[in-house]
């Protein structure tokens, strides 16, 4: 018998744990949710959560934790769920992750914690994301907010950008007694969590609650400030008296295909499409003023295969699109989107046109999109990314009739801060150069992390960078050493 | 919240607002704009900064009622507040000594061109301004433009004030008189900017226009403001709003600005309806001049 089993609070014998099936996440029926913006997943009940938690084998060397970018002690928090101590479980997670209600919902678990769960060798992996979400939501429902009481250090930190990296830095540093002010270019706090990821995947109320909690802890937020334009990094340091600055401005610039017809009415970047819907609430027009092309009964396609692409097309479906296509130039295996989203999208009736790429957008002669001329692809030799390169098949062109096309083929670095901060070194692609351990940039007192350093990545990687940055900012502020 | 320190109509449907915005006032340069959102359900719209006063921590903007948001804005009074004002956005105008600069302002474009004209004058240029409007009532900032120009020429479409005709008539006269022109800056309706561009292209006169595509964030994030410059996509909010007029594809700009026409008309109609219902009920007169 393994040593863990003797101490275990788990009443089920290790052998029998494998016999418990992975507990399904209750969800809105596909045909219903395809027409509303309510959350797809409804969350575990306490019973389901405990039943799922009992599947954990309590490994001596938990590979789940090794494969979580912030090293959450999964075994421990799951054990606390089995024991019924949900608040304890939440506290355990918070030691490594300040936004569990968010990561539990949006982490690509299949590539991270769950991907390396020992269970997955024989049966389905433990539902770590679902459990994380459960305890975070439980804690929120109980309304328990521990506002730490720490002695002020008298140091001030400016955080630029309020995405997951910036929020993590702010949350960590305020708990160490520093004053923190977050500057955000948009009118809402949250970065991609509010302007990109739609309500049906991440209810904005959850993001808002996390931010309110930070406000309670004393974090100050100033919206409508584009750092580099409204105020520069140098002015923050020299004139406004900040002792350190963290840059977490994300990878916000949309890329286009550079094919004919991209200027037609009806062709959107995913950022614009999702911003209109999520940030500006165009789906509630005319209660909200921001307009949106009417998608009812229209055919819509998104170009791309990542989370952004799926978020856009599933939003289009919810706005009444008749046909909703994903046009992706590689095959299923290469799609970067979270597995659960692909599964949900298929259930909802999204039509996946795989190994297909648009080569031109066609118009009605009056400036409006009518179709995408596409070509079918086949997979050739692996490219630099190790994925097999798609090659067009001669003579396979066809026209796909469309009213709206959304381009979701990736983003690049937003240059505003870099171009207005002398001495801040960037890499070839314009991302800020920062140490992988300390997140220090080439400017004294200036740290950076998240997508603006790595290029588009994930929420949890941005948070991991925020955590490392907070630690080294704290060290810098207390020792003064650079 | 950004407080309106002062609001006054300059002409029917055209209103100037002085707004408390200390950070923006400190940084503003001619040619830059703000994006504002009036209230929670509101859209974000771009408006050029006409002037700023760092000492008083204020900026001023001049707004022409076009659709719902600008009508609503123009119904605000001194003491009211605007929920969000962000800026200064966009690249500042390139101010240096060119020699003789012709500044062409059409309609509310005059207010947008004014700070650039003033800065060019300050930089030692000879500034010749051409101000155009539909009729006498709509001629704005005449006094201000005179103060920063070596000469001001005014045209009205209907001849109700100054010379009857279009701004391009004045520009043609200048060219025909053999006036040496080193730079033309044109700000106003797209048709006007396009006509100016066509005229100066033939004469090889460097010309700059300020483009007004539909914007949301103003930081380069959404790509909605993309314009076609020399066959390439540029984002007007970060790469502009000023561009070399001879490289601009005006037809794409016109086409893209019609994208939401149906929704815009619906918004405006509903706004007018609610306003007239309100006015009828409480017998309050609609804000004076706030008609399109
Ligand atoms: C549609 C979409 C869906 C996604 N889905 C997932 C998912 O399911 N799971 C997952 O793990 N990841 C997902 N991602 C990726 C993830 O959201 C990002 O990797 C993450 O948000 C990066 O965080 P960040 O802190 O670096 O920056 P961001 O979240 O990009 O936030 C940056 C913030 O900085 C602000 N800013 C920019 N410039 C300035 C400036 N000059 N001054 C002031 N503020 C500025 C921006 O307005 C923004 O609010 C998705 C991304 C998108 C776009
Ligand atoms: C850089 C820039 C500077 C500007 N400066 C001024 C100024 O100083 N004074 C002024 O009166 N106007 C200015 N405008 C134009 C102003 O933004 C539009 O008149 C306003 O957005 C119209 O909104 P609406 O709801 O009243 O009208 P709508 O009915 O929504 O639209 C009327 C027309 O305005 C344009 N428009 C609509 N929404 C937007 C948007 N979000 N962004 C840009 N254009 C839009 C479209 O062409 C549309 O057909 C500027 C525009 C730009 C891009
Ligand atoms: S943070 Fe993400 S990767 Fe880490 S345990 Fe939670 S769901 Fe898994
Ligand atoms: S790897 Fe899986 S089974 Fe093992 S401790 Fe982690 S979650 Fe439990
Ligand atoms: S307004 Fe969004 S990129 Fe210019």
């Amino acid at each position: 018998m393994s040593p863990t089993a003797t101490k275990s609070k788990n009443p089920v014998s290790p052998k029998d744990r494998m016999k418990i099936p992975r507990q399904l996440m209750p969800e809105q029926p596909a045909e219903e949710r395809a027409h509303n913006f309510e959350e797809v997943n409804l969350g575990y009940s306490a019973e389901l959560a405990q039943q799922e938690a009992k599947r954990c084998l309590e490994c001596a060397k938990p590979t789940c934790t090794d494969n979580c970018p912030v090293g959450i002690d999964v075994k421990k928090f799951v054990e606390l769920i089995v024991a019924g101590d949900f608040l304890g479980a939440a506290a355990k997670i918070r030691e490594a992750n300040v936004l569990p209600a968010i990561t539990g919902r949006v982490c690509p678990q299949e590539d991270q914690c769950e991907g390396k769960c020992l269970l997955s060798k024989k049966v389905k992996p433990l539902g770590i994301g679902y459990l994380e979400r459960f305890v975070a939501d439980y804690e929120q429902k109980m309304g328990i907010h521990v506002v730490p009481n720490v002695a002020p250090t008298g140091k001030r930190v400016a955080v630029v950008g309020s995405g997951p990296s910036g929020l993590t830095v702010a949350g960590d540093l305020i708990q160490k007694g520093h004053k923190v002010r977050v500057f955000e270019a948009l009118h809402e706090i949250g970065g991609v969590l509010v302007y990109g990821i739609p309500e049906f995947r991440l209810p904005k109320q959850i993001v808002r609650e996390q931010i309110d909690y930070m406000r309670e802890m004393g974090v100050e937020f100033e919206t409508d400030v584009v750092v580099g334009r409204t105020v520069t990094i140098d002015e923050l340091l020299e004139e406004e008296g900040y002792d350190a600055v963290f840059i977490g401005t994300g990878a916000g610039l949309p890329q286009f295909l550079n094919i004919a017809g991209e200027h037609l009415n009806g062709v959107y970047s995913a950022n614009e499409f999702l911003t209109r819907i999520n940030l500006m609430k165009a789906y509630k027009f005319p209660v909200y003023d921001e307009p949106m092309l009417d998608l009812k009964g229209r055919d819509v396609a998104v170009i791309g295969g990542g989370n952004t692409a799926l978020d856009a097309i599933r939003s289009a479906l919810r706005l009444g699109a008749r046909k909703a296509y994903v046009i992706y130039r590689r095959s299923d295996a290469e799609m970067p989107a979270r597995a659960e989203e692909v599964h949900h999208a298929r259930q909802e009736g999204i039509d996946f046109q795989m190994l297909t790429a648009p080569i031109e957008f066609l118009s009605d002669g009056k400036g409006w999109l009518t179709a995408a001329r596409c070509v079918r692809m086949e997979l050739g030799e692996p490219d630099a990314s190790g994925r097999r390169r798609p090659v067009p098949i001669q003579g396979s062109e066809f026209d796909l009739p469309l009213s709206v096309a959304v381009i979701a083929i990736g983003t690049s670095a937003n240059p505003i801060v870099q171009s207005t901060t002398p001495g801040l070194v960037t890499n070839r692609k314009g991302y800020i150069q920062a140490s992988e351990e300390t997140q220090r940039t080439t400017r004294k007192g200036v740290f950076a992390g998240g997508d603006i350093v790595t290029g588009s990545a994930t929420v949890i990687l941005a948070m991991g960078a925020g955590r490392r940055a907070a630690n080294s900012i704290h060290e810098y502020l207390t020792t003064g050493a650079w | 919240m950004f407080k309106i320190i002062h609001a006054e109509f300059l002409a029917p449907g055209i209103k100037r607002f002085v707004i408390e915005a200390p950070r923006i006032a400190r940084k503003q340069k001619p040619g830059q704009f703000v994006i504002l959102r009036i209230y929670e359900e509101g859209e974000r719209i771009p408006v050029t900064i006409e002037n700023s006063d760092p000492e008083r921590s204020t900026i001023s903007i001049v707004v022409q009622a076009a659709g719902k948001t600008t009508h609503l804005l123009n119904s605000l009074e001194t003491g009211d507040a605007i929920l969000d004002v962000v800026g200064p956005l966009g690249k500042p105008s390139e101010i240096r000594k060119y020699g003789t600069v012709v500044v062409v302002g059409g309609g509310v474009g005059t207010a947008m061109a004014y700070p650039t004209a003033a800065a060019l004058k300050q930089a030692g240029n000879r500034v010749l301004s051409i101000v155009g409007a539909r009729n006498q009532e709509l001629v704005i900032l005449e006094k201000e433009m005179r103060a920063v120009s070596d000469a001001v020429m005014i045209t009205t479409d209907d001849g109700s004030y100054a010379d009857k005709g279009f701004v391009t008539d004045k520009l043609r006269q200048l060219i025909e008189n053999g006036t040496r022109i080193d730079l033309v800056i044109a700000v106003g309706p797209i048709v006007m900017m396009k006509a100016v561009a066509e005229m100066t292209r033939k004469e090889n006169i460097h010309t700059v226009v300020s483009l007004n595509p539909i914007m949301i964030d103003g930081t380069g994030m959404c790509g909605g403001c993309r314009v076609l410059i020399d066959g390439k996509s540029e984002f007007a909010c970060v790469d502009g709003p000023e561009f070399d007029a001879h490289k601009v594809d005006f037809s794409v700009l016109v086409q893209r600005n019609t994208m939401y026409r149906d929704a815009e008309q619906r918004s405006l109609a509903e706004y007018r309806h609610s306003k007239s219902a309100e006015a009828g009920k409480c017998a309050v007169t609609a804000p004076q001049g706030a008609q399109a």
Side-chain angles (χ1 to χ4, degrees), chain B:
Chain B
M1 284 294 216
F2 295 78
K3 205 163 158 212
I4 298 171
I5 303 295
H6 186 71
E8 66 176 323
F9 277 101
L10 298 180
I14 303 180
K15 199 164 184 176
R16 179 197 270 137
F17 297 91
V18 180
I19 303 165
E20 205 171 67
R23 287 191 183 280
I24 306 173
R26 275 201 294 273
K27 301 286 285 191
Q28 181 261 344
K29 296 209 173 72
Q32 291 188 300
F33 61 94
V34 289
I35 284 190
L36 55 85
R37 188 176 71 132
I38 305 172
Y39 65 129
E40 185 54 39
E41 289 81 19
E43 60 180 346
R44 294 168 63 103
I45 65 157
V47 183
T48 305
I49 306 166
E50 182 223 14
N51 216 334
S52 61
D53 186 339
E55 245 117 75
R56 294 216 177 87
S57 294
T58 58
I59 59 167
S60 60
I61 57 173
V62 176
V63 181
Q64 175 159 47
K68 173 174 174 182
T69 304
T70 43
H71 273 91
L72 191 64
L73 189 57
N74 281 5
S75 73
L76 300 184
E77 304 284 354
T78 304
D80 289 341
I82 298 172
L83 187 54
D84 295 288
V85 180
V86 60
L89 301 170
K91 284 193 183 148
S93 309
E94 210 178 307
I95 305 297
R96 56 188 163 89
K97 191 160 176 193
Y98 296 90
T100 299
V101 182
V102 175
V103 177
V104 186
V108 75
T110 305
M112 296 154 71
Y114 165 74
T116 305
L120 285 166
K121 180 70 196 160
Q122 185 109 50
N125 291 284
R126 178 167 171 244
V127 175
L128 308 176
S129 296
I130 306 175
V131 171
R134 282 209 307 278
N135 57 45
Q136 175 168 22
E137 279 193 307
L138 295 171
V139 174
I140 55 168
L141 302 190
E142 184 182 344
K143 194 168 70 48
E144 286 87 342
M145 284 304 262
R146 287 201 188 279
V148 301
S149 310
D150 293 270
V152 175
M153 290 144 270
I154 298 175
T155 63
T156 47
D157 296 4
D158 64 358
S160 55
Y161 182 61
D163 292 344
K164 180 175 160 71
F166 300 116
V167 287
T168 40
D169 298 336
K170 290 289 172 195
L171 183 59
R172 183 178 303 112
Q173 274 173 26
L174 285 176
I175 293 169
E176 282 169 1
N177 290 346
T179 313
R180 186 200 147 93
I181 305 173
D182 300 290
L183 172 71
V184 173
I185 295 182
V187 192
I190 300 172
V191 282
M192 178 208 97
M193 294 191 286
K194 188 173 174 209
V196 168
E198 270 157 19
M199 186 173 286
T200 58
R201 189 196 313 269
K202 289 192 215 100
E203 309 296 328
N204 248 325
I205 303 171
H206 181 41
T207 302
V208 169
V209 286
S210 180
L211 303 184
N212 57 345
I214 295 175
M215 295 187 175
I216 306 181
D217 58 300
T219 66
M221 182 270 281
C222 76
C225 65
R226 62 192 189 277
V227 287
L228 203 51
I229 307 294
D230 216 6
K232 283 207 301 284
S233 260
E234 302 230 22
F235 293 178
C237 69
V238 284
D239 304 321
E242 292 180 0
F243 292 97
D244 180 340
H246 300 150
K247 295 186 175 161
V248 174
D249 187 328
F250 287 101
S251 56
V252 162
L253 181 61
V254 170
Q255 164 224 310
R256 286 185 59 81
N257 273 0
T258 63
M259 194 143 152
Y260 299 105
R261 186 155 289 166
D262 293 349
E264 286 160 4
Q265 281 170 355
R266 177 168 169 200
S267 280
L268 183 58
E270 284 176 15
Y271 173 74
R272 285 220 166 100
H273 183 75
S274 72
K275 273 283 140 186
S276 55
E278 208 175 283
K281 207 163 49 212
C282 355
V284 172
T285 42
Q288 50 151 332
Q291 73 267 13

